[in-house]
Amino acid sequence: MHTSAWQAVQEEIAATRPLHLRELFAQDPRRADKMTVRAAGWTLDYSKHRVTPTLLQRLVALAEAADLRRWTEAMFTGEAINRTEQRAVLHTALRNPPDQPVQVDGQDVMPEVHAVLDKMAVFADQVRKGEWRGQTGKNIRYVVNIGIGGSDLGPAMACEALRPYSKRALKLLFVSNIDGTHLAEVLRQVKPAQTLFIVASKTFTTQETMTNARSARAWLVASLGEAAVARHFVAVSTSTAEVDKFGIDTANMFGFWDWVGGRYSLPSAIGLPVMLAIGPKHFRRMLAGYHAMDVHFRTTPYERNVPVLLALLGILYHNGYGAESLAVLPYDQYLARLPAYLQQLDMESNGKAVDRQGQAVVGTTGPIVWGEAGTNGQHSFYQLIHQGTHLIPCDFIGFCHSQNPLGDHHDKLMANFFAQTEALAFGKTAEQCRAEGVPESLVPYRTFEGNRPTSSLLADELTPTTFGALMAMYEQKVFTQGIIWDVFSFDQWGVQLGKQLADKILPELTSPEAPVGQHDASTNALIRRYRKSRGRDV
Ligand code: F6P
């Protein structure tokens, strides 16, 4: 991090640390108004954070010192900012209007982007209208997406999030884990003649996806014959050669590009299951929501810039207060998979210990992201957030209107959202406990320190547009933090070693001959134990 700018932030943290949120609110009756900003249908109230106007100014100066503006322009204009892989980072082009050119290596990528979207739309309409038929002439009722990581988490989460906009007769299912149980349980729910498989993989070489795809193919062929593959398998990938090699007709392939990172690929063809579920019109609304947030991020001064503020507040706690995690708490059942999606987005992007100069980073990077849909979390881990010893900043996310207005459920849900942020911020003093008649011996246990920071993110309704905007908000937050931490956010070398070792261990598990122990004593013993149980070494 930029040293002198960070130093200035730290000095202000030291000056403000003793201030409780109770005092900050008491000092300025307009605090909530002043610390509320809007973007693309979303309202962010960040007043329940341990910030003063001066601290905020200094955090903004930190973003400026990190050259965030220049890096942002570099990203939006197709510079190869993913330097360790020498690639542009252009997921923003995926939701860019067709008449605004974006150049990569001197070529406008927008025509290609929209050509793929159009091809997806034609296909999605055919499937949705029952015009795309399976081998036996039946319409498609089940869509099984086979992918993992960015080729699974985004579409799975989005299909769930946008279920009210979906064609309910079409059942969307997702297989990601290489554990055969995942595929087997999904296949039990579908009928071969009415199932469409989408094999989604940027590289089309990922072990989990290829293994699942081969098994799914064998399952289909066993019941409908080899010729059925063309009607029941489509591919989403950047690699025509690998798709061809696998045996999927490349006419049934939806492409994307190496400048789309896996965890940023939901608005690309990787979103095909989402388009099949909600239709092209809603999918384009989702892209419009993404774009609106991109424009906000690119053009709004940092003091009012939602993704930048979220990023700066995250850095304040992570680096300034030593908070290691971030709890994401969506008060909407449809967003139940959001924490899992954000884990990859954030942790695979900024879980880095080496800076852009190849040196060890100073301090820590990348929060541990976790969470659960409200109110379930309240009956599980909120105790630790309220009264535990860890400082855990939280993102509360909710909507004014429910997609399922059932009695007073929604008012109760949102009463809980607002109550939790109030309780976390203001707590309950020992005096308040005593005034309520709490016995003195219990006062320490019934006291809430408060001063627990939360962001409140509120929109009118969960629509494709507000959903898209929320996704871009988090993407740009992660980008901003990566720039300030001075790390490369768009590679993921950290996943390689385990993959390589698994490839090496696999034949050692299956070979008829007992392998010569080639690993450490623990791993060798585990391999022996496994082989013995499988009857391979008796
Ligand atoms: O886990 C590593 C990773 O490369 C992710 O970044 C990616 O989203 C996932 O594997 C799947 O990759 P692919 O889409 O190439 O199958």
Side-chain angles (χ1 to χ4, degrees), residues 272-292:
L272 184 62
V274 186
M275 195 190 268
L276 283 163
I278 66 174
K281 194 177 73 189
H282 285 313
F283 193 84
R284 286 186 194 275
R285 288 186 179 147
M286 178 186 87
L287 296 183
Y290 266 98
H291 180 64

Side-chain angles (χ1 to χ4, degrees), residues 116-136:
V116 174
L117 278 173
D118 292 345
K119 182 176 172 179
M120 288 164 64
V122 169
F123 178 68
D125 278 338
Q126 284 175 340
V127 173
R128 288 164 61 82
K129 288 178 186 157
E131 292 163 9
W132 179 281
R133 299 204 163 241
Q135 179 70 4
T136 64

Side-chain angles (χ1 to χ4, degrees), residues 150-221:
S151 302
D152 166 74
L153 288 163
M157 181 265 306
C159 281
E160 188 57 31
L162 300 175
R163 194 185 281 267
Y165 301 87
S166 69
K167 186 180 170 74
R168 302 244 179 201
L170 205 57
K171 191 163 182 194
L172 273 295
L173 297 145
F174 291 83
V175 176
S176 52
N177 199 337
I178 200 163
D179 183 343
T181 296
H182 203 176
L183 179 64
E185 284 297 340
V186 165
L187 293 182
R188 283 189 184 112
Q189 299 172 52
V190 303
K191 297 188 175 73
Q194 293 192 289
T195 302
L196 175 76
F197 290 96
I198 301 174
V199 184
S201 173
K202 181 175 171 181
T203 53
F204 233 69
T205 56
T206 304
Q207 187 196 48
E208 291 90 335
T209 302
M210 292 303 108
T211 306
N212 280 323
R214 273 190 287 273
S215 297
R217 193 182 196 279
W219 174 85
L220 183 92
V221 168

